[in-house]
Amino acid sequence: MQLNDFMRENYPNLQLRLPLFYSWDRGIRFELGVNWKREYNYTNSPYVLGCYKRAITLFEASHAPNEEILVVMDIHDFQNSKKFKRKLLKNFPRYVNKSLLFKVKHEALPFIYPEDDEEGIWLTHRFTLQCKTSELNYIPLLKAICNQDLGLKPRISHSVYFININRKTIFHVYDDRGCDLLATSPATIKDIYEKHNDWILDYDRAKIDKVFNTTL
């Protein structure tokens, strides 16, 4: 399935950009890292391992091995820059079977954060891969995303979205602090809301509880 078709059919008027949770009315924002302190930024610290565990657990709760997913990676770069191709080759091959790389689709978009580009010199290079969950090395990928602000390697500083075509959900880890899970219907993710309720970000808990307690 084409990404644009999926978004138009299931998430009309939602632009795939941060912050997802505050741009859609049916979703959950989870807290990944708990009680961060600077001295926790070392490999396999309890804080880091806790981030990994929550990110992996929530991803697996949202994506069965045999389900079709779209992996979307946004790389922001200057217009006319050739570096983005090297960035693609540096990132995707680590996390998918090389035989799938030919399926990666590229689209050059106007910078998706125009409010931060007054001079109009940026582009967003969007790479999309459709595969089964089992074909994606999601554990090291999720760890690399969590590492981006912790000074740990490997790390990925680009936005990566996981779209479950079967369940029509969008999953996004924004960094070690947390992740968003969006759905077209609260019923789709009600079981995750209930099972991992204690991981919900307290700041948004009242808003999230209202969605699941008044619409189901």
Side-chain angles (χ1 to χ4, degrees), residues 94-117:
R94 295 180 179 179
Y95 308 109
V96 298
N97 190 304
K98 290 184 179 180
S99 65
L100 295 175
L101 291 179
F102 77 96
K103 295 175 61 178
V104 176
K105 297 180 179 179
H106 168 251
E107 183 180 10
L109 303 172
F111 191 48
I112 61 174
Y113 302 102
E115 64 275 14
D116 297 326
D117 185 29

Side-chain angles (χ1 to χ4, degrees), residues 20-212:
L20 281 181
F21 174 77
Y22 299 113
S23 302
W24 190 250
D25 59 1
R26 282 148 283 172
I28 310 171
R29 173 157 281 200
F30 290 102
E31 184 177 22
L32 298 181
V34 181
N35 298 323
W36 174 84
K37 293 183 179 180
R38 188 172 300 278
E39 57 265 32
Y40 295 163
N41 291 7
Y42 62 87
T43 302
N44 293 333
S45 72
Y47 173 84
V48 171
L49 291 178
C51 292
Y52 294 165
K53 178 181 177 181
R54 289 192 178 193
I56 294 167
T57 299
L58 291 168
F59 179 89
E60 292 180 342
S62 309
H63 308 84
N66 64 338
E67 289 180 324
E68 288 286 331
I69 63 173
L70 291 169
V71 184
V72 183
M73 181 181 294
D74 284 349
I75 298 179
H76 310 299
D77 210 338
F78 292 109
Q79 293 190 27
N80 302 319
S81 172
K82 297 181 180 179
K83 292 182 179 179
F84 75 89
K85 291 183 179 179
R86 293 198 295 271
K87 292 179 180 178
L88 166 68
L89 295 174
K90 180 181 178 182
N91 287 293
F92 257 114
R94 295 180 179 179
Y95 308 109
V96 298
N97 190 304
K98 290 184 179 180
S99 65
L100 295 175
L101 291 179
F102 77 96
K103 295 175 61 178
V104 176
K105 297 180 179 179
H106 168 251
E107 183 180 10
L109 303 172
F111 191 48
I112 61 174
Y113 302 102
E115 64 275 14
D116 297 326
D117 185 29
E118 294 182 358
E119 298 180 3
I121 60 175
W122 287 87
L123 284 176
T124 295
H125 294 279
R126 176 162 287 173
F127 298 93
T128 307
L129 171 66
Q130 181 172 339
C131 64
K132 291 187 180 298
T133 305
S134 59
E135 296 175 313
L136 179 69
N137 296 325
Y138 60 84
I139 292 179
L141 177 55
L142 291 169
K143 290 181 177 180
I145 296 170
C146 289
N147 287 344
Q148 63 181 284
D149 291 334
L150 298 176
L152 303 177
K153 293 182 179 180
R155 60 175 176 263
I156 289 181
S157 57
H158 313 301
S159 295
V160 182
Y161 308 94
F162 304 94
I163 297 175
N164 190 318
I165 296 174
N166 302 89
R167 304 189 196 191
K168 299 179 174 55
T169 57
I170 303 175
F171 181 82
H172 175 255
V173 175
Y174 48 89
D175 54 32
D176 60 286
R177 294 172 299 165
C179 68
D180 296 335
L181 176 61
L182 274 57
T184 56
S185 167
T188 305
I189 55 176
K190 179 73 179 293
D191 58 333
I192 299 174
Y193 164 80
E194 293 176 339
K195 184 173 183 179
H196 301 290
N197 193 275
D198 55 335
W199 292 357
I200 291 174
L201 185 66
D202 284 337
Y203 180 83
D204 295 304
R205 179 175 292 279
K207 174 184 177 181
I208 296 167
D209 286 345
K210 184 178 180 180
V211 169
F212 288 91

